[in-house]
Amino acid sequence: DARVTQTPRHKVTEMGQEVTMRCQPILGHNTVFWYRQTMMQGLELLAYFRNRAPLDDSGMPKDRFSAEMPDATLATLKIQPSEPRDSAVYFCASGLPGFPETQYFGPGTRLLVL
Amino acid sequence: RKEVEQDPGPFNVPEGATVAFNCTYSNSASQSFFWYRQDCRKEPKLLMSVYSSGNEDGRFTAQLNRASQYISLLIRDSKLSDSATYLCVVNPGGYNKLIFGAGTRLAVHP
């Protein structure tokens, strides 16, 4: 049963620290998405990759957030420095281009910045 | 105005009830539409796609009205296991980008 995996599942850190979240997309999926979910804003798209290239990161705060795909099996989302308002659940999803219904979500990383 | 709007609920219904959720979207050029389900502290999962002709999957029926930019989900014979948040989702086109509504909470009680 193919799944998107994310690590860590939970992260508690102090304001100002760097946070790195990792995602392994489903094998064969060449589109990867990063979302953030909060009670106030709901699910927001942060970044989108296709064939490892970032095509849309308009939803991502550029000053402290960065997203990369070092290879086809790994996507990373970094926050440096972290702030309390970054506390949220960060989801990674992967899918096949042209078929939005194939977008599958990982279990998420719950981030708490103190 | 939000791109996808839903009534947040909660909808509290007894087992066996029929419940309907509605959703409106602002981008008339949107190309595809979905309902996702999200259980507490879990990831969203695709429940069903929504087509102009309407589609049914067991107790679930989804409808799309492009003219009114309106999407609905009907759940018949509600089960306790249907308790979750239901997210209305729109693909505005261009690529696989999905725009999520804030979700409607459903609580089914005995």
Side-chain angles (χ1 to χ4, degrees):
Chain A
D1 188 21
R3 297 184 184 189
V4 176
T5 58
Q6 289 185 248
T7 57
R9 294 292 305 276
H10 303 270
K11 177 73 175 179
V12 180
T13 190
E14 292 187 345
M15 183 173 63
Q17 296 299 305
E18 177 178 302
V19 175
T20 298
M21 291 169 270
R22 293 177 174 80
C23 166
Q24 182 172 8
I26 292 172
L27 189 64
H29 283 186
N30 60 345
T31 62
V32 173
F33 302 81
W34 283 104
Y35 293 88
R36 174 171 63 184
Q37 187 173 38
T38 61
M39 289 292 291
M40 293 299 294
Q41 300 296 330
L43 260 170
E44 304 172 282
L45 178 67
L46 297 176
Y48 162 66
F49 288 79
R50 180 172 175 169
N51 294 326
R52 296 175 54 201
L55 295 190
D56 184 355
D57 60 1
S58 57
M60 198 164 65
K62 300 294 191 300
D63 56 338
R64 299 181 299 107
F65 284 61
S66 62
E68 295 180 340
M69 279 201 75
D71 61 60
T73 64
L74 177 64
T76 63
L77 180 66
K78 289 187 182 180
I79 309 174
Q80 169 61 23
S82 58
E83 297 181 1
R85 60 182 167 147
D86 300 329
S87 298
V89 182
Y90 291 82
F91 288 105
C92 174
S94 72
L96 297 170
F99 297 93
E101 66 274 18
T102 65
Q103 198 170 133
Y104 291 95
F105 282 73
T109 293
R110 290 187 175 274
L111 174 65
L112 177 61
V113 183
L114 302 173
Chain B
R1 183 188 171 190
K2 291 187 176 180
E3 290 188 70
V4 180
E5 298 215 50
Q6 296 181 250
D7 180 346
F11 284 60
N12 293 301
V13 303
E15 277 185 288
T18 295
V19 61
F21 304 138
N22 303 319
C23 163
T24 57
Y25 59 96
S26 60
N27 184 350
S28 60
S30 296
Q31 297 189 355
S32 49
F33 310 87
F34 310 93
W35 284 100
Y36 273 66
R37 169 189 170 134
Q38 186 172 23
D39 293 293
C40 187
R41 301 182 71 83
K42 298 286 189 179
E43 71 273 23
K45 293 182 179 178
L46 178 66
L47 177 66
M48 58 197 306
S49 301
V50 189
Y51 306 117
S52 296
S53 55
N55 50 307
E56 189 173 310
D57 183 2
R59 299 180 293 108
F60 298 82
T61 301
Q63 294 275 357
L64 167 65
N65 184 323
R66 282 189 182 270
S68 302
Q69 295 178 208
Y70 172 96
I71 305 162
S72 66
L73 177 68
L74 183 77
I75 305 176
R76 290 181 298 277
D77 188 23
S78 299
K79 311 290 184 192
L80 295 175
S81 57
D82 294 334
S83 297
T85 296
Y86 291 84
L87 301 163
C88 178
V89 185
V90 172
N91 169 235
Y95 64 85
N96 287 13
K97 182 174 183 174
L98 298 180
I99 308 296
F100 286 78
T104 299
R105 271 184 51 210
L106 171 66
V108 182
H109 57 82

